């Protein structure tokens, strides 16, 4: 038996192309489960991302503590002049809860999501792609593309957005740290003055000494804390942008980019196979153009 002839009759270029696609999908599946699932979460890039998220969580907790301290310090002032301002500062904690929750979700994605993506999502995408190649059904191809985009987004978005934020928004994050320090310092000075039992000086004279500037009345002190409040609002806006808005923008960009790349890669060139025609059939086709067209 002629093996070469038998192979040529049963395995056309289309079959070889399908076999190559299946082998590539199997290779990606095996590499994802047995190599990338263990290596990527332990990489320096991912570990730096986790460290950055922990630092951001610490900043949020310090910021929350600073606003509470300022609120309590203003409440301790005589005659309750600063109660509305103190209440406004206290209400800011709901934004800190939101930011903290976002950071927790991002950390969870990095710690658990990356591993799950390499162990389950990407292999399932490869499995659906193999089914699409074998069955030539568009539904399996669509599922494969969507799962692969999801898997790669889980792996790439949070680490990339975290490092991108550190590089681009460095000056803004420094502004947040300065605001926290100023709020803590102001609260400490007021609390020290309130708790002071020194004789021979008035309350506002003590505040003037503490703040190193003339504090003639309660309005001057409230103006100082109003400025702190404005900085706190700006800092909260910066933290929401850096922890939530920027990662969402990066996610949308990645989704669009990966969708475009996969849609291009899945549009394989159409292969047209022309079967050899026997001599007697050739004569019949030559006399019947319509039949020849149907044969093609």
């Amino acid at each position: 038996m002629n093996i070469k002839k038998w192979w040529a009759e049963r395995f056309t270029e289309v079959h070889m192309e399908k076999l190559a696609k299946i082998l590539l999908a199997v290779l990606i599946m095996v590499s994802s489960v047995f190599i990338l699932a263990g290596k990527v979460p332990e990489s320096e890039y991912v570990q730096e991302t986790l460290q950055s998220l922990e630092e951001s969580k610490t900043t949020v907790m310090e910021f929350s503590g600073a606003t509470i301290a300022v609120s309590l310090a203003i409440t301790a002032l005589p005659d309750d002049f600063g109660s509305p301002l103190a209440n406004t500062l206290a209400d800011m904690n709901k934004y800190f809860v939101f930011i903290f929750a976002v950071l927790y979700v991002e950390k969870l994605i990095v710690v658990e999501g990356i591993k799950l993506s390499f162990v389950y999502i990407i292999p399932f995408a490869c499995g659906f792609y193999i089914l699409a190649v074998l069955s030539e059904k568009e539904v399996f191809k669509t599922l494969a593309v969507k799962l692969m985009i999801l898997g790669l987004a889980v792996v790439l978005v949070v680490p990339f957005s975290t490092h991108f934020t550190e590089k681009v928004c460095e000056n803004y994050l420094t502004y947040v740290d300065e605001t926290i320090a100023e709020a803590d310092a102001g609260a400490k000075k007021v609390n020290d003055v309130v708790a002071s039992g020194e004789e021979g000086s008035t309350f506002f004279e003590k505040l003037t000494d503490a703040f190193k500037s003339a504090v003639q009345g309660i309005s001057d002190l409230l103006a100082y804390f109003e400025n702190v409040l404005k900085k706190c609002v700006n800092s909260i806006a910066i933290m929401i942008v850096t922890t939530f808005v920027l990662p969402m923008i990066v996610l949308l960009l990645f989704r669009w980019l990966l969708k475009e790349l996969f849609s291009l890669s899945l549009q394989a060139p159409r292969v047209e196979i022309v079967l050899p025609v026997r001599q007697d059939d050739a004569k019949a086709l030559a006399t019947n153009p319509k039949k020849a067209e149907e044969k093609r």
Side-chain angles (χ1 to χ4, degrees):
M1 183 178 180
N2 192 332
I3 298 177
K4 187 176 181 181
K5 182 179 178 182
W6 177 85
W7 179 273
E9 290 176 352
R10 286 162 177 78
F11 292 93
T12 63
E13 292 183 13
V14 175
H15 293 117
M16 296 302 295
E17 184 181 350
K18 287 184 177 181
L19 180 61
K21 290 179 178 179
I22 291 172
L23 290 177
L24 179 61
V26 171
L27 178 62
I28 294 174
M29 186 187 302
V30 173
S31 301
S32 177
V33 175
F34 295 103
I35 299 176
L36 298 177
K39 294 290 185 181
V40 174
E42 299 299 327
S43 64
E44 182 180 355
Y45 191 73
V46 174
Q47 293 302 314
E48 288 176 354
T49 301
L50 290 174
Q51 182 180 355
S52 178
L53 291 174
E54 282 296 326
E55 291 174 356
S56 297
K57 287 169 64 178
T58 301
T59 301
V60 172
M61 289 187 287
E62 290 177 352
F63 203 168
S64 177
T67 55
I68 292 175
V70 173
S71 177
L72 293 175
I74 295 174
T75 305
L77 295 174
D79 300 328
D80 293 333
F81 286 110
S83 293
L85 187 59
N87 293 335
T88 302
L89 284 164
D91 289 340
M92 285 184 175
N93 277 276
K94 60 186 178 184
Y95 300 106
F96 297 128
V97 172
F98 170 74
I99 296 170
F100 194 86
V102 171
L103 291 171
Y104 184 81
V105 171
E106 290 180 354
K107 183 180 178 181
L108 188 64
I109 290 174
V110 174
V111 173
E112 301 294 339
I114 292 178
K115 187 175 181 180
L116 289 175
S117 180
F118 283 120
V119 175
Y120 295 105
I121 300 176
I122 293 178
F124 269 106
C126 294
F128 280 118
Y129 182 69
I130 292 173
L131 289 176
V133 172
L134 294 175
S135 65
E136 298 183 354
K137 290 185 177 180
E138 194 67 27
V139 61
F140 292 127
K141 185 185 292 187
T142 302
L143 284 172
V145 171
K146 289 184 177 181
L147 282 176
M148 186 61 74
I149 291 174
L150 174 62
L152 293 178
V154 170
V155 173
L156 298 174
V157 168
V158 174
F160 180 83
S161 63
T162 301
H163 287 272
F164 177 78
T165 299
E166 287 185 347
K167 298 297 182 183
V168 176
C169 304
E170 184 177 359
N171 293 333
Y172 297 101
L173 296 175
T174 302
Y175 178 88
V176 174
D177 294 333
E178 292 173 352
T179 301
I180 295 172
E182 184 175 351
D184 274 330
K188 185 177 183 302
K189 290 173 183 178
V190 172
N191 289 330
D192 290 344
V193 170
V194 172
S196 175
E198 297 178 3
E199 300 292 336
S201 59
T202 65
F203 177 78
F204 293 106
E205 288 174 346
K206 295 177 183 178
L207 287 176
T208 299
D209 294 335
F211 284 90
K212 307 300 181 184
S213 61
V215 180
Q216 301 298 330
I218 195 69
S219 59
D220 293 336
L221 187 60
L222 290 181
Y224 170 83
F225 281 116
E226 284 175 0
N227 185 56
V228 172
L229 174 62
K230 292 176 183 177
K231 290 185 176 181
C232 288
V233 171
N234 292 335
S235 298
I236 289 175
I238 291 170
M239 296 187 74
I240 290 176
V241 169
T242 55
T243 59
F244 179 72
V245 177
L246 282 181
M248 289 301 297
I249 293 174
V250 172
L251 174 61
L252 294 175
L253 288 175
F254 262 86
R255 182 181 180 276
W256 173 82
L257 179 61
L258 292 173
K259 188 175 180 181
E260 291 296 317
L261 289 175
F262 278 106
S263 63
L264 289 175
S265 64
L266 289 174
Q267 291 175 359
R270 183 179 177 182
V271 179
E272 186 173 342
I273 301 173
V274 180
L275 298 176
V277 182
R278 291 181 301 176
Q279 189 173 3
D280 53 348
D281 289 341
K283 294 179 180 179
L285 294 174
T287 58
N288 192 341
K290 185 177 180 181
K291 188 173 182 181
E293 183 66 25
E294 291 177 355
K295 187 71 174 178
R296 283 194 290 266

